[in-house]
Amino acid sequence: MTLIYFATNRKPNRQNNPDDFGSEFSADGLANLRFGKAEVSGRNFDQIVVEVARENLDARRPVLGSDEIFAEAQERAQIEGLDTVVLIHGFNTSFKGALQSAAKLEKLLTDRNPMDTGEPLKLMVVLFSWPSDGSLLISSSDQAKKTIAYKNDRVDAAASGVAFARAFLKLTDFIVDTPDGDRCQEKIHLVAHSMGNYVLRHALQEIRRQIAAQVPRMFNQILMMAADEDDDAFGLDYKLQLLPHLTRRTSVYFNRGDLALWASDTLKGNPARLGSDGPLHPRDLPRNVYPIDCTDVIAKTLRSSEHEYYLMSQRILADMRRVLRGEIPDEIAGRKYIPETNRYRLLLDAGVPQQR
């Protein structure tokens, strides 16, 4: 059994004791959040028991679900020595599908990996789930409906940035208000997949709007997986230029054969994608942003068009584990640094010393 904590701005399936959330926004507003936890079990992570945290906003001292979940997660992290990975999922993902992905990611990162001889990670995954129901499939005859659904997801992802920013600021306040002696010393990381990176962009802009330039360095590592985001995002103030201030290091994983992002670029009218081409101006990146080209590994071990490789490739997971351990990017084995494009090319052999 895997325990996943969550925050969501989705609409619950019922007002009292909900056990699922749908593909619409909460009836109380785009930024309204419910917090809770889910026990995920079964061979395919398909047995899910959801428990939403108690809330009573009308009490003399309001009971907040966020306080309950933050306090429980903090205690667990302290007792078990766990780092935290916050996951923002991509498009075409149901709430329970997102919980399945979160549980699978935790297992893959904490189990022994045949391509990584280091100690297994000790961590828990916290899910942020936004109302996603679109698809980027291009093989269906009903393409028009899928295009509309995808565009709706982009609108919902942008709107959900406010909700993620609200969760981020709640967590920041919780940490600041915790006495130094009780504060958890373990690290917090962020993994954003696909359109989850678009949520992240709009969350960053909302955080900036609320607290100006005083953006706290909340995350130790940010991993951007197959980002459905513009390739010029790090160079523009209204996109992701401020993101490096939020974290110690940012790793941008991309696959030039990613069919879903090719469709996003070519068929949906978006600029070239960060998750398929890497950053547009790699030599101008901040010193703590690291592009990682996974194309060759994916082409030789999965379908070259694979979009969810972060849950499917042991080789890429081995590299992610090293990043989450905080290993120095210039020393991570199984990479080749390409100076003319300022990026790392992932090699099939995870054990060879980094090539320069």
Side-chain angles (χ1 to χ4, degrees), residues 10 22-23 88-101 129-140 145-154 156-157 193-196 199 228 260 268 307-308 310-311:
R10 293 175 181 258
S23 59
I88 311 177
H89 63 76
F91 57 80
N92 193 27
T93 305
S94 68
F95 176 68
K96 289 192 172 179
L99 287 171
Q100 288 178 290
S101 293
S129 185
W130 54 281
S132 165
D133 60 1
S135 172
L136 201 57
L137 298 176
I138 64 172
S139 58
S140 171
K145 289 183 179 178
K146 290 184 179 295
T147 299
I148 292 171
Y150 173 77
K151 289 182 177 179
N152 287 343
D153 257 13
R154 279 184 66 82
D156 292 348
H193 176 242
S194 188
M195 203 178 286
V199 175
D228 193 358
K268 312 300 182 183
H307 186 58
E308 293 196 344
Y310 81 112
L311 293 177

Side-chain angles (χ1 to χ4, degrees), residues 305-318:
S305 61
E306 186 55 57
H307 186 58
E308 293 196 344
Y309 50 81
Y310 81 112
L311 293 177
M312 302 177 67
S313 169
Q314 290 287 356
R315 175 65 192 91
I316 293 171
L317 283 156

Side-chain angles (χ1 to χ4, degrees), residues 8-266:
T8 183
N9 62 334
R10 293 175 181 258
K11 183 178 180 179
N13 61 341
R14 53 178 177 261
Q15 189 61 33
N16 296 318
N17 300 318
D19 61 2
D20 199 2
F21 293 82
S23 59
E24 299 177 345
F25 286 105
S26 166
D28 295 322
L30 301 179
N32 184 65
L33 291 166
R34 299 297 297 270
F35 292 81
K37 56 188 177 182
E39 295 180 353
V40 184
S41 58
R43 185 173 181 180
N44 297 315
F45 305 98
D46 54 357
Q47 298 176 32
I48 301 172
V49 179
V50 174
E51 180 182 339
V52 176
R54 298 175 300 107
E55 286 198 336
N56 185 353
L57 303 182
D58 298 324
R60 179 176 298 179
R61 296 186 63 182
V63 178
L64 302 177
S66 57
D67 287 347
E68 177 184 329
I69 294 302
F70 291 161
E72 181 178 322
Q74 181 187 56
E75 182 179 15
R76 183 179 168 213
Q78 286 177 317
I79 292 173
E80 300 180 34
L82 305 176
D83 286 350
T84 298
V85 170
V86 178
L87 173 65
I88 311 177
H89 63 76
F91 57 80
N92 193 27
T93 305
S94 68
F95 176 68
K96 289 192 172 179
L99 287 171
Q100 288 178 290
S101 293
K104 185 175 182 180
L105 179 64
E106 181 173 321
K107 180 175 175 57
L108 288 168
L109 289 174
T110 56
D111 277 358
R112 291 198 174 275
N113 183 311
M115 296 188 176
D116 177 16
T117 58
E119 285 297 312
L121 297 175
K122 298 179 67 177
L123 57 81
M124 61 183 172
V125 173
V126 176
L127 171 69
F128 176 76
S129 185
W130 54 281
S132 165
D133 60 1
S135 172
L136 201 57
L137 298 176
I138 64 172
S139 58
S140 171
S141 59
D142 198 1
Q143 179 60 32
K145 289 183 179 178
K146 290 184 179 295
T147 299
I148 292 171
Y150 173 77
K151 289 182 177 179
N152 287 343
D153 257 13
R154 279 184 66 82
V155 172
D156 292 348
S160 295
V162 178
F164 185 81
R166 185 163 177 247
F168 176 92
L169 294 172
K170 279 178 174 286
L171 178 58
T172 301
D173 290 342
F174 177 84
I175 292 173
V176 170
D177 293 341
T178 301
D180 289 345
D182 298 332
R183 194 171 295 172
C184 177
Q185 300 302 313
E186 276 65 39
K187 301 179 184 68
I188 302 176
H189 310 292
L190 173 67
V191 174
H193 176 242
S194 188
M195 203 178 286
N197 291 275
Y198 197 60
V199 175
L200 179 60
R201 181 221 286 200
H202 289 275
L204 180 64
Q205 296 305 318
E206 178 64 17
I207 292 167
R208 179 186 181 192
R209 187 187 70 79
Q210 293 199 33
I211 59 177
Q214 303 303 312
V215 176
R217 181 168 285 186
M218 175 70 71
F219 301 111
N220 184 272
Q221 306 286 334
I222 292 180
L223 285 68
M224 305 177 72
M225 314 303 301
D228 193 358
E229 172 59 283
D230 302 341
D231 67 349
D232 63 359
F234 283 104
L236 295 172
D237 182 66
Y238 63 92
K239 294 184 182 179
L240 293 176
Q241 191 175 69
L242 196 60
L243 186 67
H245 293 249
L246 209 64
T247 180
R248 184 181 179 201
R249 297 188 185 115
T250 299
S251 299
V252 182
Y253 290 80
F254 63 97
N255 168 25
R256 286 177 277 113
D258 191 320
L259 184 60
L261 294 182
W262 173 85
S264 175
D265 175 3
T266 307

